[in-house]
Amino acid sequence: MTAQLIDGTALSQQLRAEVAQRTLALKARGITPGLAVVLVGDDPASQVYVRNKVKACHEAGLHSVLEKYDANMSEAALLARVEALNKDPAIHGILVQLPLPAQIDAHKVIEAIAPAKDVDGFHVASAGALVTGLPGFWPCTPYGCMKMLASIGYELKGKHAVVIGRSNTVGKPMALMLLQKNATVTICHSGTANLKAMTLQADVVVAAVGKRNVLTADMVKPGAVVIDVGMNRDDHGKLCGDADFAGVREVAGWITPVPGGVGPMTITMLLVNTLEAAERIAN
Ligand code: NAP
């Protein structure tokens, strides 16, 4: 069997067109959804990420500002900026790009963001809302994975989902979202004794590790859905995921490619969250 691809680029285009439509409707009511992106320091990867986020906002008709600060910015100064953005009525979402320089406590900064503007979904209030099933902002990457599953009409009820990785930003929220949709969920991590024994039972595998070939064909149940969150480089420097794509796609029923899978969906869900933050204010 050769797996069908879940095309994150195509799905993103469709969702971004919907965001643009809803943004127009909101603008007609005098509200332009606004995202502030804050970058401290000059990490090259972070610079690319923030540029792409701001560009995506502009393309969908949202207002977006990029605030760039020196790597030696103090924690107090950054907290003051966050506080000012919390009060700025033109800003509905605030994203502080991680990682932050060592002198700044990232937890303190994230907790300083008003939960109503926490479009990255990293605030403890957002995490608590996800755990309890209350309305809040879902972290963009796992939220994007859920949209990809929905796009193929996949019914999670009664299915076994195995999430590899337990970070606060991807693995844990992913597991909670799958649970909320009535999957039976197993979370694996670096201490899992027999990863293959777990993944072989899975109807859905989400790999969020950051290591090449963590998931190989012999670890996948025929027909399973494989969502590959990982972003790694192969021997030729090309972007690749956690799954051995060529091997796994011969066993799986569905698979997300890297690049062109989860990556574009992450920014798309940031736009969705920012739009929803503005819609909540409007309503
Ligand atoms: P992370 O914080 O480093 O977490 C990695 C997780 O993988 C940890 O829970 C770790 O277990 C687990 N792990 C490590 N080695 C393992 C192994 N051999 N077997 C099973 N589990 C293992 O990373 P992250 O932030 O969640 O990101 C994961 C990957 O997704 C990275 O490649 C990242 O670049 C990518 N990512 C992509 C997007 C996107 O938009 N496409 C967004 C976010 C992240 P322990 O907890 O026991 O250490």
Side-chain angles (χ1 to χ4, degrees), residues 141 164-167 169-170 189-190 208-211 229-231 262-263 266:
T141 300
I164 320 174
R166 58 172 164 182
S167 68
T169 49
V170 188
H189 45 78
S190 66
V209 176
K211 286 181 187 160
V229 181
M231 287 200 307
V262 176
T266 296

Side-chain angles (χ1 to χ4, degrees), residues 82-83 85-87 91-95 108-130 134-139 273-274 276-278 280-281:
V82 169
E83 201 42 53
L85 290 168
N86 282 341
K87 292 185 182 135
I91 296 300
H92 303 93
I94 302 169
L95 182 153
K108 228 176 182 176
V109 174
I110 300 303
E111 296 319 311
I113 296 171
K117 297 190 177 187
D118 176 41
V119 288
D120 242 350
F122 293 168
H123 194 287
V124 286
S126 302
L130 176 57
L134 290 171
F137 293 108
W138 283 8
N273 278 349
T274 303
E276 282 177 4
R280 285 177 198 176
I281 301 270

